[in-house]
Amino acid sequence: GKFHRKATPGGWRDDLTPEQAEIVERITAPLLEEFYPTRGGEGEPSLPVREYALSKVTRGLRTFLNLKVGLTRDVELAELREIKNGAGTGGPRPENIVWIFGDGRTGSTWLMRMVEELEGQTLWREPMVGLLFGYLYYLWADEKRHKTKHFILGRYRASWLGSMRGFILQEAMTRFPDLKEDEYLVVKEPNGSIGAPLLMGALPESRMTLLVRDPRDVVASSMDAHRKGSWHYERRNLQESLAEERPKDFVERRAHKYLWYVGNSKLAYDTHQGPKVMVRYEDLRADTLGTMRRIYSSLGIEVDEAELSGAVEKHSWENVPEEEKGEGKFHRKATPGGWREDLTPEQAEIVERITAPLLKEFSYPYEGDSESLSERLASSWRWMRMLYGP
């Protein structure tokens, strides 16, 4: 039970059951072969080497990848030298970056497709930079790490926020070098929204859209997407469906994810001093053109009325082909409140219990009590850390 336990190589034989050892060997077989090719003085191949040795095809692929990595390194070094020497100009102005935060299955793809139709706006589709920094800062690290000088996102917050700012702007310039000075870069980042407070701290002059949806509808839509044969199941080549095999666990996990992604986005929204707008999916669905006008007015961005109307019409629910709608498809039913038909009472109660502060904050129907958002995030942290932490 102590940090310094016994320092005895091979001590696993006394500590693990045969079944536990077999699990480790099965999963780590290529590394066992690489670093522990024999089991003792006689040079006898180890069990994992005999049973799980890499095939010739795998070896050939590894050789090819090593070669490719070498070639890629040469290209990358040349590109890095160009960047260091100041080659290339352009990229977005920080105040012309528009973030879309929230969560998946909130209508962000629909919003993105309408934005894409408008002149002077370029899309950066899910760079996941918020996940990169947000996961590490909010779920992996704890308060002790936040205070130490050794953790990269610990002490000296102003310094690492400055580094984060430079990183984002450099990568934006690299990807969009021809972006004109008066054009906007719209960053669709729902699945990186856990890092929204950090991103807005690094780029405080940028603009922010917070897109939300009833969490019960979000969970219902996600459950459908994760069932066997659905669009998401097939696209991600999933091998099992937690939504079907352990639906209660799926609902709980998905609700906690919504709490953190939308909750952190709301915290960022509350403290952001630059142009910002909060949009409910339900309002976007009920009056799409009016809501789009409000979005651009709040963000201080001029748009052509005819272009905006055309974008709304082109991407309306009614213009989605019927064969692309329905259960198991990306365009499912676009019906606010449909969770009442999709979730069991127990599942709905789980979502409500976990996301109660946000249900109240965004005026969704909910009769129960709730702690504050900050308190709810704090009580959810240990649960999330068990799943996603170190």
Side-chain angles (χ1 to χ4, degrees):
K2 299 180 180 179
F3 183 83
H4 302 283
R5 200 168 64 97
K6 59 181 181 182
T8 305
W12 61 268
R13 294 179 175 85
D14 301 323
D15 303 326
L16 301 182
T17 67
E19 180 184 16
Q20 291 168 343
E22 190 278 328
I23 291 172
V24 177
E25 291 168 346
R26 170 168 50 81
I27 295 172
T28 65
L31 297 176
L32 284 167
E33 181 191 29
E34 187 74 30
F35 302 125
Y36 300 96
T38 62
R39 202 178 251 187
E42 299 300 322
E44 177 189 357
S46 67
L47 177 65
V49 172
R50 290 199 307 265
E51 294 189 357
Y52 306 108
L54 296 173
S55 67
K56 291 182 179 179
V57 174
T58 305
R59 291 179 188 276
L61 179 61
R62 185 169 62 181
T63 300
F64 168 75
L65 288 175
N66 286 339
L67 175 62
K68 187 175 180 182
V69 166
L71 293 173
T72 303
R73 261 193 215 111
D74 292 338
V75 175
E76 288 177 346
L77 284 173
E79 291 177 346
L80 285 171
R81 290 191 187 99
E82 287 184 5
I83 293 171
K84 185 176 180 181
N85 294 332
T89 58
R93 297 163 58 191
E95 62 269 29
N96 284 1
I97 295 177
V98 184
W99 299 92
I100 300 176
F101 292 123
D103 195 1
R105 309 309 294 162
T106 58
S108 58
T109 299
W110 175 32
L111 177 58
M112 175 198 75
R113 287 172 178 165
M114 289 188 285
V115 168
E116 195 171 23
E117 302 289 335
L118 305 178
E119 187 74 22
Q121 299 186 45
T122 297
L123 287 172
W124 192 357
R125 295 177 177 83
E126 305 211 40
M128 307 300 283
V129 65
L131 184 65
L132 171 66
F133 294 114
Y135 163 83
L136 185 63
Y137 186 81
Y138 291 108
L139 298 184
W140 190 88
D142 53 19
E143 186 176 355
K144 180 179 178 181
R145 287 191 181 274
H146 288 163
K147 293 180 179 179
T148 179
K149 69 177 181 180
H150 299 287
F151 178 49
I152 197 67
L153 299 181
R155 203 184 302 173
Y156 315 118
R157 181 184 179 89
S159 175
W160 54 257
L161 277 178
S163 298
M164 193 181 299
R165 176 188 178 90
F167 173 71
I168 295 168
L169 292 176
Q170 176 63 61
E171 293 310 310
M173 185 185 73
T174 300
R175 287 157 176 76
F176 308 100
D178 300 324
L179 199 70
K180 297 177 182 176
E181 186 173 325
D182 61 345
E183 292 182 334
Y184 295 89
L185 181 64
V186 182
V187 189
K188 177 179 181 279
E189 189 71 334
N191 291 302
S193 293
I194 190 171
L198 303 181
L199 300 182
M200 300 314 293
L203 290 160
E205 65 272 63
S206 62
R207 310 175 197 225
M208 176 180 176
T209 301
L210 172 56
L211 178 63
V212 303
R213 185 183 185 185
D214 189 318
R216 293 160 296 198
D217 277 328
V218 170
V219 172
S221 181
S222 296
M223 286 191 77
D224 180 75
H226 282 79
R227 292 189 177 104
K228 292 179 180 178
S230 72
W231 67 272
H232 183 81
Y233 186 91
E234 296 296 330
R235 179 185 292 181
R236 298 292 295 272
N237 194 28
L238 301 177
Q239 302 301 310
E240 58 182 0
S241 171
L242 186 67
E244 290 182 330
E245 295 164 14
R246 304 204 314 272
K248 182 178 178 181
D249 290 344
F250 179 90
V251 168
E252 189 171 21
R253 291 187 185 192
R254 192 62 184 82
H256 276 286
K257 177 177 179 285
Y258 181 98
L259 173 70
W260 274 90
Y261 281 50
V262 177
N264 268 12
S265 297
K266 182 60 168 62
L267 295 177
Y269 182 87
D270 289 342
T271 58
H272 182 54
Q273 299 300 308
K276 59 185 177 181
V277 61
M278 186 174 69
V279 182
R280 298 198 328 165
Y281 169 84
E282 294 78 9
D283 298 331
L284 190 63
R285 184 79 180 90
D287 180 12
T288 308
L289 182 57
T291 304
M292 291 295 287
R293 288 188 186 122
R294 181 172 69 85
I295 290 173
Y296 281 103
S297 174
S298 299
L299 294 177
I301 300 174
E302 294 184 5
V303 291
D304 182 85
E305 178 68 21
E307 275 191 357
L308 189 61
S309 298
V312 168
E313 175 64 22
K314 180 177 179 179
H315 296 286
S316 68
W317 173 258
E318 291 71 24
N319 281 332
V320 176
E322 289 301 320
E323 63 272 16
E324 296 180 13
K325 299 177 182 178
E327 300 296 320
K329 298 179 181 179
F330 184 82
H331 303 283
R332 197 169 65 102
K333 59 183 180 180
T335 304
W339 61 268
R340 294 180 176 86
E341 302 169 359
D342 303 324
L343 301 181
T344 67
E346 181 186 19
Q347 291 168 349
E349 188 279 328
I350 291 172
V351 180
E352 291 167 350
R353 171 173 48 82
I354 294 170
T355 66
L358 296 173
L359 285 166
K360 287 185 172 293
E361 184 71 38
F362 303 131
S363 301
Y364 290 118
Y366 174 64
E367 300 299 329
D369 297 326
S370 172
E371 55 195 337
S372 71
L373 176 58
S374 296
E375 290 171 335
R376 191 70 195 90
L377 286 169
S379 61
S380 168
W381 181 79
R382 291 191 180 279
W383 194 95
M384 289 290 283
R385 190 170 163 83
M386 282 193 301
L387 282 180
Y388 305 110

